[in-house]
Amino acid sequence: MTMTQSRARALLLTPAGLWYAAMLLLPLAVVLIFSFGERSAIGGYAPGFTFEQYANLPARFAAFRNTLTLAPVGTIAALLIAYPLAYFLAVKVSPKWKTMLLVLVIVPFWTSILIRSYAWIFLLGGKGIPALLETIGLDDVRLLNTPFAVLVGIVYGYLPLMVFPIYVALEKLDKRLLEAAADLGTPPWRAFLQITLPLSMPGVLTGSMLVFILLMGEFLIPAILGGGKVFFVGNALVDLFLQSRNWAFGSAVAVALVVIMLITIGIYSRLVKRFGASRDDVGLM
């Protein structure tokens, strides 16, 4: 690469680099510095250097427990629902219906998540599904303000984000591989496990990581459908920064969450490389 090409590349990357530093690295640095400080007498941040905030992290154990439980479970539930739907759209639907069905998948995103979450308050409240269950003899069924309600809300809210990466991966699937497997007498279930599933794993991993990362920072759905009884780390951060104004402790909680996310992304990167190699192996079969 010539000197002129190097300068041109540096010039093109400079705006993105400055934006990245200003919008990501600088806020993270501020949060990290705040996490070693103290809460001032009137709230906010007081300069200092102490590990007291990190030692106090167990005080928010319930928020971390709920997040680290419901975020993976919600991701898996969304995957189990999204994969058959994406497979149907990519493989089974005729081209003339495909566009319309894809639009129907994305239609919920045209409405605010706040409105959609409030709709679930009615469906899960006393006059919704529990009232229907009473007609068949199931009395005193409580769905709202429970982990189940939060799980339903997050799966419903983030399902399209799981469907589309899987759909894109399946759309690129070479149908000739399936035809060759059928000609060789391979049962459909084995063809799916040995060809379709490995080739769609990049989409599965991308969708899972996208949904999981967003769920780790979720606060609106637990606040609405959890009713203050089921809360995530995002709800704890809102409380610490805006209500109790303990910015130092809130920063420590945020740093802990970022560390968990970095570990998750590291595992995700290893899985992508592994299944990327598996995809190449399948392509060479």
Side-chain angles (χ1 to χ4, degrees):
M1 182 179 295
T2 64
M3 183 65 67
T4 302
Q5 290 175 329
S6 299
R7 291 177 178 176
R9 185 177 66 174
L11 184 62
L12 291 173
L13 292 177
T14 296
L18 293 176
W19 181 265
Y20 175 80
M23 303 303 294
L24 181 62
L25 297 182
L26 183 59
L28 284 178
V30 172
V31 169
L32 182 62
I33 293 172
F34 277 19
S35 68
F36 292 104
E38 299 176 347
R39 183 183 186 276
S40 68
I42 60 174
Y45 166 75
F49 186 79
T50 176
F51 291 93
E52 179 183 355
Q53 311 305 332
Y54 290 98
N56 198 31
L57 284 177
R60 296 290 173 167
F61 171 76
F64 280 100
R65 180 195 61 207
N66 292 335
T67 303
L68 295 176
T69 300
L70 291 177
V73 171
T75 301
I76 294 172
L79 174 60
L80 294 177
I81 298 173
Y83 196 99
L85 177 58
Y87 181 85
F88 175 75
L89 293 173
V91 179
K92 300 297 184 180
V93 174
S94 62
K96 67 177 182 178
W97 294 105
K98 187 172 295 186
T99 301
M100 184 187 72
L101 293 177
L102 287 173
V103 170
L104 291 178
V105 173
I106 204 173
V107 158
F109 275 3
W110 297 357
T111 306
S112 170
I113 185 65
L114 180 64
I115 297 176
R116 287 183 281 145
S117 297
Y118 271 105
W120 278 107
I121 291 180
F122 172 78
L123 292 174
L124 299 176
K127 296 183 179 180
I129 296 176
L132 295 177
L133 294 177
E134 287 183 3
T135 62
I136 59 175
L138 297 177
D139 299 329
D140 299 327
V141 176
R142 180 171 170 268
L143 299 178
L144 195 60
N145 301 334
T146 63
F148 174 78
V150 176
L151 183 61
V152 169
I154 61 181
V155 171
Y156 169 76
Y158 290 98
L159 185 62
L161 296 180
M162 182 71 76
V163 170
F164 282 101
I166 299 175
Y167 168 80
V168 171
L170 290 171
E171 181 72 5
K172 297 178 181 178
L173 179 66
D174 190 348
K175 307 300 189 299
R176 292 174 298 179
L177 295 174
L178 300 177
E179 294 172 357
D183 292 339
L184 294 173
T186 303
W189 64 269
R190 178 171 291 180
F192 173 79
L193 293 177
Q194 295 183 345
I195 298 175
T196 304
L197 185 59
L199 291 178
S200 64
M201 283 307 296
V204 170
L205 293 174
T206 300
S208 299
M209 180 55 55
L210 180 62
V211 172
F212 179 75
I213 288 176
L214 293 176
L215 289 182
M216 289 290 286
E218 178 62 49
F219 78 95
L220 180 62
I221 295 175
I224 294 176
L225 299 179
K229 298 178 181 179
V230 182
F231 45 90
F232 280 19
V233 174
N235 304 104
L237 292 175
V238 171
D239 173 66
L240 289 170
F241 278 98
L242 300 182
Q243 297 181 13
S244 60
R245 289 182 50 81
N246 192 344
W247 293 2
F249 187 35
S251 297
V253 172
V255 170
L257 183 62
V258 169
V259 170
I260 294 173
M261 296 307 302
L262 290 176
I263 294 173
T264 304
I265 293 173
I267 297 173
Y268 164 76
S269 299
R270 293 178 64 89
L271 290 175
V272 167
K273 292 180 181 179
R274 176 182 175 183
F275 285 105
S278 300
R279 185 187 180 100
D280 294 337
D281 292 340
V282 172
L284 294 174
M285 290 176 57

